[in-house]
Amino acid sequence: DVVLANPPYSISAWNREMFAHDKYGRCFLGVPPQRFADYAFIQHILASMDPKSGRSAILLPHGVLFRSDEADIREKLVETDVIECIIALGHYLFFNSAMISCVMICNNNKKAERKGKILFVDAENEVTRKNAQSFLEDKHISRMVNTYRAFKNEDGYSKVATIEDIKSEDYKLSVSLYVEGVEDTLEDIDNAFDNWNQSSMGLSKELFLLTELFKNE
């Protein structure tokens, strides 16, 4: 009924040939490229969902939304109308990495008013930055959840797009294609400066400790 998953990202060491002839029928959208197994995991999850009540939320690398290698698979996935929401997350949510990720929410029983549509949420700025690391606070998560439940447009944050809209973008699912940004306010600039300043101080501290370590060897 419900799948929550964080598959390994973009692995290249996997048995592509076996998946191409999968006896469980999980390769129903197409065979992913050898260097990106992400859509093998996605298809495994979708095939495992209950046909009537199955839902899933999958934490994925941002590349699954736009990479040309998987364009045909992505097109078929969009046309199945199982994707309900795409949430773009911010930088540095993974320890020691600046990579960005996304949450793909799928639903085999979408409400009538949501069929033929996908909600895009730009939550890249919904983070708290401290000591060169980003964190999701309750207020950030609540905003994402409430936006998903409301399933409506919000300037600079969310946009409901039809499958026809997505088709016109060559079936790319990058959130920035659908959610128009808003101009930075003075508060945004101040926050950005504070984040940069904290990161700079954290880096200086780490470099100092590293230098002292080498001195003592």
Side-chain angles (χ1 to χ4, degrees), residues 28-57:
F28 61 97
L29 296 174
V31 186
Q34 182 67 54
R35 60 185 182 145
F36 300 124
D38 302 298
Y39 274 95
F41 289 104
I42 292 172
Q43 291 183 83
H44 164 66
I45 291 168
L46 295 180
S48 302
M49 287 162 48
D50 185 277
K52 294 183 179 180
S53 59
R55 294 173 293 152
S56 65

PDB file of all heavy atoms in Angstrom, residues 28-57:
ATOM      1  N   PHE A  28       8.745  -2.563 -17.175  1.00  0.00           N
ATOM      2  CA  PHE A  28       7.580  -2.273 -18.013  1.00  0.00           C
ATOM      3  C   PHE A  28       7.645  -0.911 -18.697  1.00  0.00           C
ATOM      4  O   PHE A  28       6.843  -0.622 -19.588  1.00  0.00           O
ATOM      5  CB  PHE A  28       6.287  -2.376 -17.187  1.00  0.00           C
ATOM      6  CG  PHE A  28       6.210  -1.421 -16.030  1.00  0.00           C
ATOM      7  CD1 PHE A  28       5.539  -0.223 -16.161  1.00  0.00           C
ATOM      8  CD2 PHE A  28       6.797  -1.729 -14.815  1.00  0.00           C
ATOM      9  CE1 PHE A  28       5.445   0.664 -15.098  1.00  0.00           C
ATOM     10  CE2 PHE A  28       6.712  -0.859 -13.750  1.00  0.00           C
ATOM     11  CZ  PHE A  28       6.042   0.342 -13.888  1.00  0.00           C
ATOM     12  N   LEU A  29       8.601  -0.090 -18.315  1.00  0.00           N
ATOM     13  CA  LEU A  29       8.755   1.223 -18.949  1.00  0.00           C
ATOM     14  C   LEU A  29       9.950   1.269 -19.898  1.00  0.00           C
ATOM     15  O   LEU A  29      10.032   2.162 -20.732  1.00  0.00           O
ATOM     16  CB  LEU A  29       8.927   2.317 -17.885  1.00  0.00           C
ATOM     17  CG  LEU A  29       7.751   2.565 -16.942  1.00  0.00           C
ATOM     18  CD1 LEU A  29       8.140   3.569 -15.866  1.00  0.00           C
ATOM     19  CD2 LEU A  29       6.534   3.037 -17.698  1.00  0.00           C
ATOM     20  N   GLY A  30      10.854   0.316 -19.760  1.00  0.00           N
ATOM     21  CA  GLY A  30      12.052   0.291 -20.584  1.00  0.00           C
ATOM     22  C   GLY A  30      13.278  -0.016 -19.753  1.00  0.00           C
ATOM     23  O   GLY A  30      13.240   0.021 -18.518  1.00  0.00           O
ATOM     24  N   VAL A  31      14.376  -0.312 -20.431  1.00  0.00           N
ATOM     25  CA  VAL A  31      15.614  -0.684 -19.749  1.00  0.00           C
ATOM     26  C   VAL A  31      16.472   0.566 -19.519  1.00  0.00           C
ATOM     27  O   VAL A  31      16.850   1.240 -20.478  1.00  0.00           O
ATOM     28  CB  VAL A  31      16.417  -1.709 -20.586  1.00  0.00           C
ATOM     29  CG1 VAL A  31      17.617  -2.202 -19.791  1.00  0.00           C
ATOM     30  CG2 VAL A  31      15.531  -2.869 -21.009  1.00  0.00           C
ATOM     31  N   PRO A  32      16.778   0.884 -18.267  1.00  0.00           N
ATOM     32  CA  PRO A  32      17.614   2.051 -17.988  1.00  0.00           C
ATOM     33  C   PRO A  32      19.031   1.867 -18.525  1.00  0.00           C
ATOM     34  O   PRO A  32      19.479   0.730 -18.732  1.00  0.00           O
ATOM     35  CB  PRO A  32      17.625   2.117 -16.448  1.00  0.00           C
ATOM     36  CG  PRO A  32      16.450   1.304 -16.015  1.00  0.00           C
ATOM     37  CD  PRO A  32      16.304   0.227 -17.047  1.00  0.00           C
ATOM     38  N   PRO A  33      19.745   2.955 -18.747  1.00  0.00           N
ATOM     39  CA  PRO A  33      21.138   2.837 -19.209  1.00  0.00           C
ATOM     40  C   PRO A  33      22.012   2.220 -18.128  1.00  0.00           C
ATOM     41  O   PRO A  33      21.701   2.321 -16.938  1.00  0.00           O
ATOM     42  CB  PRO A  33      21.537   4.299 -19.484  1.00  0.00           C
ATOM     43  CG  PRO A  33      20.617   5.107 -18.636  1.00  0.00           C
ATOM     44  CD  PRO A  33      19.323   4.368 -18.599  1.00  0.00           C
ATOM     45  N   GLN A  34      23.092   1.578 -18.543  1.00  0.00           N
ATOM     46  CA  GLN A  34      23.970   0.884 -17.593  1.00  0.00           C
ATOM     47  C   GLN A  34      24.491   1.819 -16.502  1.00  0.00           C
ATOM     48  O   GLN A  34      24.589   1.440 -15.333  1.00  0.00           O
ATOM     49  CB  GLN A  34      25.154   0.255 -18.332  1.00  0.00           C
ATOM     50  CG  GLN A  34      26.096  -0.536 -17.438  1.00  0.00           C
ATOM     51  CD  GLN A  34      25.456  -1.777 -16.859  1.00  0.00           C
ATOM     52  OE1 GLN A  34      24.931  -2.609 -17.574  1.00  0.00           O
ATOM     53  NE2 GLN A  34      25.478  -1.897 -15.532  1.00  0.00           N
ATOM     54  N   ARG A  35      24.802   3.047 -16.866  1.00  0.00           N
ATOM     55  CA  ARG A  35      25.441   3.937 -15.886  1.00  0.00           C
ATOM     56  C   ARG A  35      24.475   4.597 -14.920  1.00  0.00           C
ATOM     57  O   ARG A  35      24.892   5.246 -13.968  1.00  0.00           O
ATOM     58  CB  ARG A  35      26.254   5.012 -16.609  1.00  0.00           C
ATOM     59  CG  ARG A  35      25.459   5.906 -17.538  1.00  0.00           C
ATOM     60  CD  ARG A  35      26.386   6.844 -18.274  1.00  0.00           C
ATOM     61  NE  ARG A  35      25.676   7.759 -19.150  1.00  0.00           N
ATOM     62  CZ  ARG A  35      26.049   9.010 -19.373  1.00  0.00           C
ATOM     63  NH1 ARG A  35      27.118   9.487 -18.767  1.00  0.00           N
ATOM     64  NH2 ARG A  35      25.375   9.776 -20.193  1.00  0.00           N
ATOM     65  N   PHE A  36      23.162   4.435 -15.147  1.00  0.00           N
ATOM     66  CA  PHE A  36      22.164   5.000 -14.241  1.00  0.00           C
ATOM     67  C   PHE A  36      21.090   3.957 -13.952  1.00  0.00           C
ATOM     68  O   PHE A  36      20.210   3.734 -14.783  1.00  0.00           O
ATOM     69  CB  PHE A  36      21.491   6.236 -14.839  1.00  0.00           C
ATOM     70  CG  PHE A  36      22.423   7.367 -15.175  1.00  0.00           C
ATOM     71  CD1 PHE A  36      22.453   7.887 -16.459  1.00  0.00           C
ATOM     72  CD2 PHE A  36      23.252   7.916 -14.211  1.00  0.00           C
ATOM     73  CE1 PHE A  36      23.299   8.941 -16.785  1.00  0.00           C
ATOM     74  CE2 PHE A  36      24.098   8.959 -14.521  1.00  0.00           C
ATOM     75  CZ  PHE A  36      24.129   9.482 -15.810  1.00  0.00           C
ATOM     76  N   ALA A  37      21.120   3.356 -12.780  1.00  0.00           N
ATOM     77  CA  ALA A  37      20.131   2.321 -12.450  1.00  0.00           C
ATOM     78  C   ALA A  37      18.883   2.886 -11.776  1.00  0.00           C
ATOM     79  O   ALA A  37      17.994   2.126 -11.390  1.00  0.00           O
ATOM     80  CB  ALA A  37      20.760   1.273 -11.541  1.00  0.00           C
ATOM     81  N   ASP A  38      18.798   4.200 -11.672  1.00  0.00           N
ATOM     82  CA  ASP A  38      17.709   4.816 -10.902  1.00  0.00           C
ATOM     83  C   ASP A  38      16.319   4.354 -11.342  1.00  0.00           C
ATOM     84  O   ASP A  38      15.459   4.056 -10.508  1.00  0.00           O
ATOM     85  CB  ASP A  38      17.803   6.341 -10.996  1.00  0.00           C
ATOM     86  CG  ASP A  38      19.138   6.865 -10.498  1.00  0.00           C
ATOM     87  OD1 ASP A  38      19.443   6.661  -9.313  1.00  0.00           O
ATOM     88  OD2 ASP A  38      19.886   7.454 -11.303  1.00  0.00           O
ATOM     89  N   TYR A  39      16.106   4.293 -12.656  1.00  0.00           N
ATOM     90  CA  TYR A  39      14.769   3.920 -13.128  1.00  0.00           C
ATOM     91  C   TYR A  39      14.504   2.422 -13.003  1.00  0.00           C
ATOM     92  O   TYR A  39      13.349   1.991 -13.130  1.00  0.00           O
ATOM     93  CB  TYR A  39      14.549   4.413 -14.560  1.00  0.00           C
ATOM     94  CG  TYR A  39      14.039   5.828 -14.597  1.00  0.00           C
ATOM     95  CD1 TYR A  39      14.917   6.900 -14.744  1.00  0.00           C
ATOM     96  CD2 TYR A  39      12.683   6.098 -14.453  1.00  0.00           C
ATOM     97  CE1 TYR A  39      14.450   8.208 -14.752  1.00  0.00           C
ATOM     98  CE2 TYR A  39      12.211   7.405 -14.459  1.00  0.00           C
ATOM     99  CZ  TYR A  39      13.098   8.458 -14.605  1.00  0.00           C
ATOM    100  OH  TYR A  39      12.636   9.751 -14.594  1.00  0.00           O
ATOM    101  N   ALA A  40      15.518   1.626 -12.721  1.00  0.00           N
ATOM    102  CA  ALA A  40      15.285   0.223 -12.376  1.00  0.00           C
ATOM    103  C   ALA A  40      14.641   0.158 -10.999  1.00  0.00           C
ATOM    104  O   ALA A  40      13.668  -0.584 -10.773  1.00  0.00           O
ATOM    105  CB  ALA A  40      16.597  -0.561 -12.399  1.00  0.00           C
ATOM    106  N   PHE A  41      15.160   0.952 -10.057  1.00  0.00           N
ATOM    107  CA  PHE A  41      14.579   1.005  -8.717  1.00  0.00           C
ATOM    108  C   PHE A  41      13.165   1.593  -8.751  1.00  0.00           C
ATOM    109  O   PHE A  41      12.256   1.108  -8.072  1.00  0.00           O
ATOM    110  CB  PHE A  41      15.469   1.825  -7.785  1.00  0.00           C
ATOM    111  CG  PHE A  41      16.757   1.141  -7.424  1.00  0.00           C
ATOM    112  CD1 PHE A  41      17.950   1.533  -8.013  1.00  0.00           C
ATOM    113  CD2 PHE A  41      16.778   0.097  -6.509  1.00  0.00           C
ATOM    114  CE1 PHE A  41      19.148   0.900  -7.685  1.00  0.00           C
ATOM    115  CE2 PHE A  41      17.966  -0.538  -6.180  1.00  0.00           C
ATOM    116  CZ  PHE A  41      19.153  -0.140  -6.771  1.00  0.00           C
ATOM    117  N   ILE A  42      12.989   2.645  -9.540  1.00  0.00           N
ATOM    118  CA  ILE A  42      11.661   3.268  -9.638  1.00  0.00           C
ATOM    119  C   ILE A  42      10.639   2.268 -10.165  1.00  0.00           C
ATOM    120  O   ILE A  42       9.532   2.135  -9.629  1.00  0.00           O
ATOM    121  CB  ILE A  42      11.720   4.520 -10.545  1.00  0.00           C
ATOM    122  CG1 ILE A  42      12.550   5.625  -9.875  1.00  0.00           C
ATOM    123  CG2 ILE A  42      10.305   5.027 -10.852  1.00  0.00           C
ATOM    124  CD1 ILE A  42      12.834   6.813 -10.762  1.00  0.00           C
ATOM    125  N   GLN A  43      11.014   1.533 -11.207  1.00  0.00           N
ATOM    126  CA  GLN A  43      10.086   0.558 -11.782  1.00  0.00           C
ATOM    127  C   GLN A  43       9.807  -0.597 -10.816  1.00  0.00           C
ATOM    128  O   GLN A  43       8.686  -1.102 -10.734  1.00  0.00           O
ATOM    129  CB  GLN A  43      10.643   0.022 -13.107  1.00  0.00           C
ATOM    130  CG  GLN A  43      10.644   1.069 -14.217  1.00  0.00           C
ATOM    131  CD  GLN A  43      11.115   0.509 -15.540  1.00  0.00           C
ATOM    132  OE1 GLN A  43      10.341  -0.086 -16.280  1.00  0.00           O
ATOM    133  NE2 GLN A  43      12.389   0.684 -15.836  1.00  0.00           N
ATOM    134  N   HIS A  44      10.838  -1.005 -10.074  1.00  0.00           N
ATOM    135  CA  HIS A  44      10.638  -2.047  -9.063  1.00  0.00           C
ATOM    136  C   HIS A  44       9.607  -1.592  -8.028  1.00  0.00           C
ATOM    137  O   HIS A  44       8.713  -2.354  -7.636  1.00  0.00           O
ATOM    138  CB  HIS A  44      11.959  -2.372  -8.376  1.00  0.00           C
ATOM    139  CG  HIS A  44      11.815  -3.132  -7.096  1.00  0.00           C
ATOM    140  ND1 HIS A  44      11.321  -4.422  -7.047  1.00  0.00           N
ATOM    141  CD2 HIS A  44      12.069  -2.777  -5.807  1.00  0.00           C
ATOM    142  CE1 HIS A  44      11.294  -4.829  -5.785  1.00  0.00           C
ATOM    143  NE2 HIS A  44      11.742  -3.845  -5.021  1.00  0.00           N
ATOM    144  N   ILE A  45       9.713  -0.340  -7.603  1.00  0.00           N
ATOM    145  CA  ILE A  45       8.790   0.208  -6.608  1.00  0.00           C
ATOM    146  C   ILE A  45       7.375   0.305  -7.171  1.00  0.00           C
ATOM    147  O   ILE A  45       6.400  -0.118  -6.541  1.00  0.00           O
ATOM    148  CB  ILE A  45       9.288   1.580  -6.128  1.00  0.00           C
ATOM    149  CG1 ILE A  45      10.561   1.403  -5.290  1.00  0.00           C
ATOM    150  CG2 ILE A  45       8.214   2.312  -5.328  1.00  0.00           C
ATOM    151  CD1 ILE A  45      11.306   2.679  -5.011  1.00  0.00           C
ATOM    152  N   LEU A  46       7.254   0.829  -8.384  1.00  0.00           N
ATOM    153  CA  LEU A  46       5.923   0.990  -8.987  1.00  0.00           C
ATOM    154  C   LEU A  46       5.263  -0.371  -9.219  1.00  0.00           C
ATOM    155  O   LEU A  46       4.046  -0.524  -9.014  1.00  0.00           O
ATOM    156  CB  LEU A  46       6.031   1.755 -10.304  1.00  0.00           C
ATOM    157  CG  LEU A  46       6.516   3.203 -10.205  1.00  0.00           C
ATOM    158  CD1 LEU A  46       6.586   3.837 -11.590  1.00  0.00           C
ATOM    159  CD2 LEU A  46       5.608   4.028  -9.300  1.00  0.00           C
ATOM    160  N   ALA A  47       6.056  -1.354  -9.634  1.00  0.00           N
ATOM    161  CA  ALA A  47       5.506  -2.692  -9.878  1.00  0.00           C
ATOM    162  C   ALA A  47       5.089  -3.379  -8.581  1.00  0.00           C
ATOM    163  O   ALA A  47       4.253  -4.285  -8.592  1.00  0.00           O
ATOM    164  CB  ALA A  47       6.535  -3.547 -10.612  1.00  0.00           C
ATOM    165  N   SER A  48       5.682  -2.944  -7.472  1.00  0.00           N
ATOM    166  CA  SER A  48       5.377  -3.546  -6.170  1.00  0.00           C
ATOM    167  C   SER A  48       4.164  -2.907  -5.491  1.00  0.00           C
ATOM    168  O   SER A  48       3.642  -3.457  -4.524  1.00  0.00           O
ATOM    169  CB  SER A  48       6.597  -3.415  -5.241  1.00  0.00           C
ATOM    170  OG  SER A  48       7.736  -4.031  -5.797  1.00  0.00           O
ATOM    171  N   MET A  49       3.727  -1.752  -5.976  1.00  0.00           N
ATOM    172  CA  MET A  49       2.608  -1.045  -5.360  1.00  0.00           C
ATOM    173  C   MET A  49       1.281  -1.734  -5.657  1.00  0.00           C
ATOM    174  O   MET A  49       1.075  -2.242  -6.751  1.00  0.00           O
ATOM    175  CB  MET A  49       2.580   0.411  -5.856  1.00  0.00           C
ATOM    176  CG  MET A  49       3.674   1.284  -5.263  1.00  0.00           C
ATOM    177  SD  MET A  49       3.986   2.826  -6.199  1.00  0.00           S
ATOM    178  CE  MET A  49       2.323   3.466  -6.423  1.00  0.00           C
ATOM    179  N   ASP A  50       0.400  -1.724  -4.681  1.00  0.00           N
ATOM    180  CA  ASP A  50      -0.931  -2.274  -4.891  1.00  0.00           C
ATOM    181  C   ASP A  50      -1.608  -1.518  -6.039  1.00  0.00           C
ATOM    182  O   ASP A  50      -1.598  -0.285  -6.058  1.00  0.00           O
ATOM    183  CB  ASP A  50      -1.767  -2.130  -3.611  1.00  0.00           C
ATOM    184  CG  ASP A  50      -3.130  -2.790  -3.727  1.00  0.00           C
ATOM    185  OD1 ASP A  50      -4.051  -2.150  -4.281  1.00  0.00           O
ATOM    186  OD2 ASP A  50      -3.271  -3.938  -3.272  1.00  0.00           O
ATOM    187  N   PRO A  51      -2.198  -2.232  -7.002  1.00  0.00           N
ATOM    188  CA  PRO A  51      -2.790  -1.580  -8.178  1.00  0.00           C
ATOM    189  C   PRO A  51      -3.888  -0.562  -7.840  1.00  0.00           C
ATOM    190  O   PRO A  51      -4.084   0.392  -8.585  1.00  0.00           O
ATOM    191  CB  PRO A  51      -3.376  -2.749  -8.977  1.00  0.00           C
ATOM    192  CG  PRO A  51      -2.597  -3.943  -8.530  1.00  0.00           C
ATOM    193  CD  PRO A  51      -2.272  -3.708  -7.093  1.00  0.00           C
ATOM    194  N   LYS A  52      -4.555  -0.751  -6.706  1.00  0.00           N
ATOM    195  CA  LYS A  52      -5.666   0.139  -6.368  1.00  0.00           C
ATOM    196  C   LYS A  52      -5.314   1.168  -5.293  1.00  0.00           C
ATOM    197  O   LYS A  52      -5.779   2.304  -5.360  1.00  0.00           O
ATOM    198  CB  LYS A  52      -6.864  -0.688  -5.896  1.00  0.00           C
ATOM    199  CG  LYS A  52      -7.470  -1.564  -6.985  1.00  0.00           C
ATOM    200  CD  LYS A  52      -8.698  -2.304  -6.464  1.00  0.00           C
ATOM    201  CE  LYS A  52      -9.321  -3.167  -7.557  1.00  0.00           C
ATOM    202  NZ  LYS A  52     -10.522  -3.911  -7.068  1.00  0.00           N
ATOM    203  N   SER A  53      -4.513   0.771  -4.330  1.00  0.00           N
ATOM    204  CA  SER A  53      -4.256   1.669  -3.202  1.00  0.00           C
ATOM    205  C   SER A  53      -2.789   2.047  -3.043  1.00  0.00           C
ATOM    206  O   SER A  53      -2.420   2.740  -2.099  1.00  0.00           O
ATOM    207  CB  SER A  53      -4.738   1.025  -1.893  1.00  0.00           C
ATOM    208  OG  SER A  53      -4.064  -0.207  -1.672  1.00  0.00           O
ATOM    209  N   GLY A  54      -1.930   1.596  -3.952  1.00  0.00           N
ATOM    210  CA  GLY A  54      -0.497   1.810  -3.809  1.00  0.00           C
ATOM    211  C   GLY A  54      -0.064   3.259  -3.941  1.00  0.00           C
ATOM    212  O   GLY A  54      -0.500   3.975  -4.838  1.00  0.00           O
ATOM    213  N   ARG A  55       0.791   3.672  -3.010  1.00  0.00           N
ATOM    214  CA  ARG A  55       1.395   5.009  -3.044  1.00  0.00           C
ATOM    215  C   ARG A  55       2.870   4.875  -2.723  1.00  0.00           C
ATOM    216  O   ARG A  55       3.291   3.943  -2.055  1.00  0.00           O
ATOM    217  CB  ARG A  55       0.733   5.937  -2.014  1.00  0.00           C
ATOM    218  CG  ARG A  55      -0.727   6.265  -2.295  1.00  0.00           C
ATOM    219  CD  ARG A  55      -1.332   7.040  -1.140  1.00  0.00           C
ATOM    220  NE  ARG A  55      -1.423   6.208   0.060  1.00  0.00           N
ATOM    221  CZ  ARG A  55      -1.390   6.686   1.304  1.00  0.00           C
ATOM    222  NH1 ARG A  55      -1.230   7.983   1.517  1.00  0.00           N
ATOM    223  NH2 ARG A  55      -1.488   5.871   2.336  1.00  0.00           N
ATOM    224  N   SER A  56       3.669   5.829  -3.162  1.00  0.00           N
ATOM    225  CA  SER A  56       5.097   5.795  -2.845  1.00  0.00           C
ATOM    226  C   SER A  56       5.669   7.200  -2.800  1.00  0.00           C
ATOM    227  O   SER A  56       5.168   8.123  -3.450  1.00  0.00           O
ATOM    228  CB  SER A  56       5.870   4.959  -3.871  1.00  0.00           C
ATOM    229  OG  SER A  56       5.821   5.560  -5.156  1.00  0.00           O
ATOM    230  N   ALA A  57       6.720   7.343  -1.997  1.00  0.00           N
ATOM    231  CA  ALA A  57       7.513   8.572  -1.954  1.00  0.00           C
ATOM    232  C   ALA A  57       8.967   8.136  -2.043  1.00  0.00           C
ATOM    233  O   ALA A  57       9.457   7.406  -1.176  1.00  0.00           O
ATOM    234  CB  ALA A  57       7.252   9.351  -0.670  1.00  0.00           C
TER     235      ALA A  57
END
